[in-house]
């Protein structure tokens, strides 16, 4: 299985990062991981993990909640990072109105700059969208980019708009939650050549480990659930999601 979105730079992994990553690859059937950056520091950390582990790849970029730290200088730094051979995407980028909309205009401007960078460099993007779907789609559809909506929590109607334009949809542990509605509907609806799986570790751990620190080994519950919803096997979903990740990120 391939985890297309995780944060192993998070301090929650400081105690056992090396042991954990090694065991994920050697004992838990994890083939590759894309570690997503949120600012300069975590983007550089993602690159250092990618340099250390053959099966870790990096995404670099500015998360909407990090907009205060964004500057011309940091944008130039992100640009430079894109030439690293193990940087496979720009992300995670997007909009987030969950904690308020005071910085909405700055978020939008930063998002547009990073999308334009993706167009200019032909890199795929990893999109974060929270409580702002209309604004997010309006901006995204202005750019001829490919990529994935990570931890997608939108409706089937929104999924359709994205699928029609070639986007991939990524599922986390939330599809296994007892109260899951949209992720379950989408797990049945999204064509198999557009499904990706991720953990967003250390967050969003699948049932029955919800609330615990997440890592890529728990992705098996997400794959299992998607297989159950689609009335197919774990192996089938594992295979198609791996193929999709390889196609999108060139890994
Ligand atoms: Ni994330």
């Amino acid at each position: 299985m391939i985890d297309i979105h995780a944060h192993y730079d998070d301090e929650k992994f400081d105690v056992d990062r090396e042991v954990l990553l090694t065991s994920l690859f050697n004992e838990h059937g994890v083939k590759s991981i894309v570690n997503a950056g949120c600012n300069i520091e975590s983007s550089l950390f993602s690159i250092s993990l990618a340099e250390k582990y053959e099966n870790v790849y990096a995404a670099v970029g500015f998360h909407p909640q990090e907009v205060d730290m964004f500057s011309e200088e940091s944008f130039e730094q992100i640009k430079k990072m894109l030439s690293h051979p193990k940087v496979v995407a720009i992300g995670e980028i997007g909009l987030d109105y969950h904690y308020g909309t005071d910085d909405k205009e700055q978020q939008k401007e930063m998002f547009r700059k990073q999308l334009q960078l993706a167009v200019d460099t032909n890199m795929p993007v990893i999109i974060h969208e929270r409580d702002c779907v209309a604004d997010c789609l309006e901006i995204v559809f202005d750019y001829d980019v490919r990529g994935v909506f990570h931890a997608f929590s939108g409706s089937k109607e929104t999924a359709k708009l994205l699928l029609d334009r070639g986007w991939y949809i990524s599922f986390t542990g939330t599809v296994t939650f007892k109260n899951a509605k949209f992720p379950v509907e989408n797990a049945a609806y999204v064509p198999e050549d557009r499904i990706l799986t991720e953990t967003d570790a250390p967050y969003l751990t699948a049932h029955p480990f919800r609330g615990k620190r997440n890592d890529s080994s728990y992705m098996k519950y997400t794959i299992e659930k998607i297989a159950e919803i689609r009335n197919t096997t774990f192996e089938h979903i594992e295979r198609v999601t791996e193929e999709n990740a390889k196609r999108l990120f060139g890994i």
Side-chain angles (χ1 to χ4, degrees), residues 39-149:
N39 53 35
I40 294 296
E41 197 190 350
S42 67
S43 295
L44 288 173
F45 203 136
S46 296
I47 291 176
S48 74
L49 288 173
E51 286 174 342
K52 189 162 178 184
Y53 299 92
E54 197 189 338
N55 301 322
V56 174
Y57 297 86
V60 299
F62 264 79
H63 187 287
Q65 281 169 10
E66 301 288 319
V67 70
D68 287 350
M69 291 166 74
F70 188 69
S71 64
E72 262 321 308
E73 196 197 334
S74 50
F75 186 58
E76 290 304 316
Q77 278 177 279
I78 294 288
K79 260 190 207 169
K80 282 203 190 94
M81 290 180 207
L82 295 181
S83 59
H84 191 286
K86 292 201 76 185
V87 172
V88 296
I90 300 178
E92 57 184 296
I93 63 173
L95 297 176
D96 192 326
Y97 297 169
H98 188 69
Y99 300 99
T101 51
D102 294 353
D103 56 4
K104 194 167 152 175
E105 294 312 315
Q106 293 99 293
Q107 282 194 32
K108 285 183 178 177
E109 196 193 323
M110 179 174 79
F111 189 25
R112 284 188 178 277
K113 281 188 98 154
Q114 295 184 98
L115 286 168
Q116 186 58 49
L117 181 60
V119 173
D120 296 344
T121 55
N122 195 29
M123 293 286 275
V125 292
I126 298 171
I127 304 287
H128 169 101
E129 177 276 312
R130 196 173 184 195
D131 299 345
C132 57
V133 70
D135 280 11
C136 189
L137 265 53
E138 191 191 315
I139 291 178
V140 157
F141 293 161
D142 276 347
Y143 297 85
D144 185 17
V145 281
R146 64 212 154 84
V148 55
F149 271 64

Side-chain angles (χ1 to χ4, degrees), residues 5-7 36 38 63 92 128 150 198 200-201 203:
H5 190 105
H7 301 279
C38 295
H63 187 287
E92 57 184 296
H128 169 101
H150 110 85
E198 63 169 294
D200 205 17
Y203 311 107

Side-chain angles (χ1 to χ4, degrees), residues 190-202:
V190 177
E192 70 176 30
D193 63 349
R194 301 291 188 80
I195 300 176
L196 294 169
T197 54
E198 63 169 294
T199 55
D200 205 17

